């Protein structure tokens, strides 16, 4: 592992031998409801242990990429981000003995009054874990949750929590450009190899890497928000537990995605007459989810449909076929169907739409210092919209599927698990 000290490389290799610990959406909500400073400290201790393991797994994988992909400048930049964050976390001081003893005394022994619910296997990923280990890792119930009585704790507890959140915020900002930086690395790789495609090995690596990134940012974002739950954004929003909304109003989120997608479409093509989008959704439909994830997925699907319709009919057409969005409520899933009449996708190209870098738009070259997150980056030219949206769906046990009729249009089915008990797909 070049560019770092032998001691740091040894620590990364050591942490990468430990398996990662998955957390479900429901567990995060159970943990984060009305947390005390003591409970937040338990969360900080879990992340202090867990995040270096997850970061180390990704550094090792980035270092072992084939055919010089690991030597592309943008890939090296991403690896440096992960190494820096790993180094900061392992050097962040652990809670003092005084803090640990105070929280230990306030901990409900045996946890009889409250247990975290168990996890179910994620149906989207049935493969066995890639990284086996002889190291024993305590279960999520042991590591992530202890019932801490709401007693008065030393001020050092809240000060430690605050300093740890500041460290997490720095890491989160550092990793904002990871998606686009790695995409740029693949562009560099394709140019070096003089190829227009990426092979299955790289495709599977990107799936694993981006899934891991979703999980890391989810845990970090949740811990930051739980520590700030009495401030500003969610002060009066009792439906929120961190970044998770226990009563996500599907119609409101989907309508916002519709409005944003139509605005972007009109702006990009300079249209006076933007295609209409018709929404059919039960008004009171709610479920536990992360609204930003839901918005991102629906927005990407609508953006694709709008583009297909406009480019089929032309940007000077007097009339465009209406795009329809239908939301159905089942016992296990909430399903969102997006239907367009944009000409469809040839059957021979259906598998390619899930391939990173597959796009009919021109691929942009990013400035090396581009620092936007995946929610703000110009991903249209990278062909990342559908693959990433499917990963966001699968992360909490859902899925995304396409059925297309060449010469007519495409139906996208976004399945979202409403049970919220699927564990993270970790690799």
């Amino acid at each position: 592992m070049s560019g770092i000290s032998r001691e740091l490389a040894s620590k990364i290799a050591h942490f990468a031998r430990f398996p990662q610990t998955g957390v479900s959406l429901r567990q995060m909500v159970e943990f984060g409801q009305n947390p005390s400073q003591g409970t937040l400290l338990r969360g900080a201790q879990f992340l202090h242990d867990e995040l270096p393991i997850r970061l180390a797994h990704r550094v090792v994988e980035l270092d072992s990429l084939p055919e010089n992909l690991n030597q592309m400048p943008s890939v090296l930049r991403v690896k440096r981000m992960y190494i820096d964050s790993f180094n900061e976390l392992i050097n962040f001081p652990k809670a003092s003995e005084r803090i640990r003893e105070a929280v230990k005394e306030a901990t409900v022994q045996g946890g009889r009054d409250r247990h975290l619910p168990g996890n179910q296997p994620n149906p989207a990923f049935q493969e066995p874990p890639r990284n086996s280990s002889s190291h024993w890792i305590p279960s999520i119930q042991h590591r992530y949750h202890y019932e801490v009585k709401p007693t008065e704790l030393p001020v050092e507890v809240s000060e430690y929590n605050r300093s740890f959140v500041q460290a997490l915020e720095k890491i989160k900002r550092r990793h904002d450009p990871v998606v686009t930086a790695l995409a740029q690395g693949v562009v560099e790789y394709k140019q070096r190899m003089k190829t227009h495609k990426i092979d299955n090995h790289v495709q599977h690596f990107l799936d694993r890497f981006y899934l891991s990134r979703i999980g890391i940012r989810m845990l970090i974002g949740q811990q930051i928000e739980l520590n700030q739950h009495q401030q500003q954004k969610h002060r009066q929003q009792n439906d929120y537990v961190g970044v998770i909304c226990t009563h996500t109003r599907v119609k409101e989120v989907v309508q916002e995605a519709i409005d944003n997608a139509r605005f972007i479409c009109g702006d990009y093509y300079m249209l006076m007459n933007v295609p209409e989008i018709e929404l059919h959704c039960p008004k009171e439909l709610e479920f536990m989810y992360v609204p930003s994830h839901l918005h991102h997925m629906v927005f990407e699907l609508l953006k694709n449909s709008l583009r297909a319709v406009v480019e089929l009919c032309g940007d000077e057409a007097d009339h465009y076929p209406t795009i329809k969005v239908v939301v159905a409520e089942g016992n296990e899933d909430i399903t969102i169907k997006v239907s367009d009449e944009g000409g469809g996708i040839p059957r021979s190209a259906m598998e390619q739409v899930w391939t990173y870098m597959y796009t009919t738009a021109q691929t942009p070259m990013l400035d090396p210092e581009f620092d936007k997150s995946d929610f703000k980056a110009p991903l249209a030219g990278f062909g990342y919209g559908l693959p990433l949206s499917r990963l966001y769906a699968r992360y909490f046990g859902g899925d995304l599927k396409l059925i297309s009729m060449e010469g007519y249009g495409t139906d996208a089915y976004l399945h979202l698990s409403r049970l919220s008990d699927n564990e993270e797909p970790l690799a």
Side-chain angles (χ1 to χ4, degrees), residues 24-27 117-118 120-121 123 287-289 330-334 396-398 416-422:
S24 72
L25 192 69
R26 189 168 296 279
Q27 285 175 334
Q120 298 296 322
F287 78 129
M288 184 190 300
Y289 211 70
N331 292 328
E332 296 182 5
D333 286 350
I334 287 172
F396 285 128
L416 307 169
S417 173
R418 65 181 309 170
L419 302 179
S420 308
D421 58 356
N422 296 117

Side-chain angles (χ1 to χ4, degrees), residues 236-300:
Q236 301 300 328
Q237 299 185 32
N238 296 327
D239 289 344
Y240 276 87
V241 179
V243 297
I244 302 165
C245 182
T246 55
H247 298 284
T248 301
R249 294 161 183 82
V250 178
K251 188 169 186 177
E252 291 181 11
V253 177
V254 173
Q255 185 60 57
E256 183 182 3
I258 288 172
D259 295 340
N260 290 344
R262 293 186 75 239
F263 175 82
I264 292 293
C265 177
D267 184 62
Y268 182 82
Y269 290 104
M270 294 183 288
L271 299 177
M272 294 295 292
N273 175 33
V274 181
E276 294 292 333
I277 300 177
E278 191 177 283
L279 174 60
H280 301 273
C281 177
K283 185 176 180 181
E284 304 302 326
L285 180 57
E286 300 175 344
F287 78 129
M288 184 190 300
Y289 211 70
V290 183
S292 60
H293 287 194
L294 177 57
H295 179 279
H296 178 67
M297 292 182 288
V298 175
F299 174 78
E300 285 295 336

Side-chain angles (χ1 to χ4, degrees), residues 206-368:
L206 292 171
D207 274 344
R208 291 191 302 272
F209 190 90
Y210 289 135
L211 263 175
S212 172
R213 180 178 186 271
I214 292 170
I216 288 170
R217 289 181 76 83
M218 184 71 202
L219 291 178
I220 289 176
Q222 186 71 355
Q223 184 71 9
I224 291 172
E225 287 297 324
L226 288 178
N227 277 270
Q228 298 175 345
H229 73 285
Q230 293 180 335
Q231 301 176 17
Q232 297 179 1
K233 187 160 59 174
H234 296 158
R235 184 180 299 173
Q236 301 300 328
Q237 299 185 32
N238 296 327
D239 289 344
Y240 276 87
V241 179
V243 297
I244 302 165
C245 182
T246 55
H247 298 284
T248 301
R249 294 161 183 82
V250 178
K251 188 169 186 177
E252 291 181 11
V253 177
V254 173
Q255 185 60 57
E256 183 182 3
I258 288 172
D259 295 340
N260 290 344
R262 293 186 75 239
F263 175 82
I264 292 293
C265 177
D267 184 62
Y268 182 82
Y269 290 104
M270 294 183 288
L271 299 177
M272 294 295 292
N273 175 33
V274 181
E276 294 292 333
I277 300 177
E278 191 177 283
L279 174 60
H280 301 273
C281 177
K283 185 176 180 181
E284 304 302 326
L285 180 57
E286 300 175 344
F287 78 129
M288 184 190 300
Y289 211 70
V290 183
S292 60
H293 287 194
L294 177 57
H295 179 279
H296 178 67
M297 292 182 288
V298 175
F299 174 78
E300 285 295 336
L301 294 176
L302 292 171
K303 189 173 66 175
N304 285 347
S305 289
L306 285 164
R307 181 180 171 207
V309 167
V310 171
E311 296 195 353
L312 178 69
C313 300
D315 56 12
E316 295 182 358
D318 294 327
H319 173 75
Y320 296 101
T322 299
I323 296 167
K324 296 180 181 178
V325 180
V326 179
V327 183
E329 178 182 12
N331 292 328
E332 296 182 5
D333 286 350
I334 287 172
T335 303
I336 301 174
K337 181 175 76 167
V338 178
S339 302
D340 67 59
E341 297 175 30
I345 303 167
R347 194 155 53 93
S348 61
M350 282 302 291
E351 286 302 315
Q352 291 177 281
V353 301
W354 303 113
T355 303
Y356 296 95
M357 315 306 295
Y358 175 77
T359 177
T360 55
Q362 183 178 359
T363 300
M365 294 295 289
L366 291 180
D367 186 290

Side-chain angles (χ1 to χ4, degrees), residues 127-171:
E127 296 180 3
R130 289 171 46 83
N131 299 287
S132 59
S133 172
S134 58
H135 292 281
W136 178 78
I137 296 293
S139 70
I140 190 67
Q141 282 79 5
H142 286 90
R143 297 181 68 203
Y144 192 45
H145 178 71
Y146 292 82
E147 178 72 4
V148 181
K149 292 178 286 189
T151 56
E152 193 71 27
L153 293 169
V155 68
E156 290 93 333
V157 175
S158 59
E159 289 176 349
Y160 183 88
N161 286 335
R162 192 178 305 113
S163 63
F164 188 69
V165 163
Q166 289 171 350
L168 292 180
E169 289 173 332
K170 181 180 177 182
I171 291 170

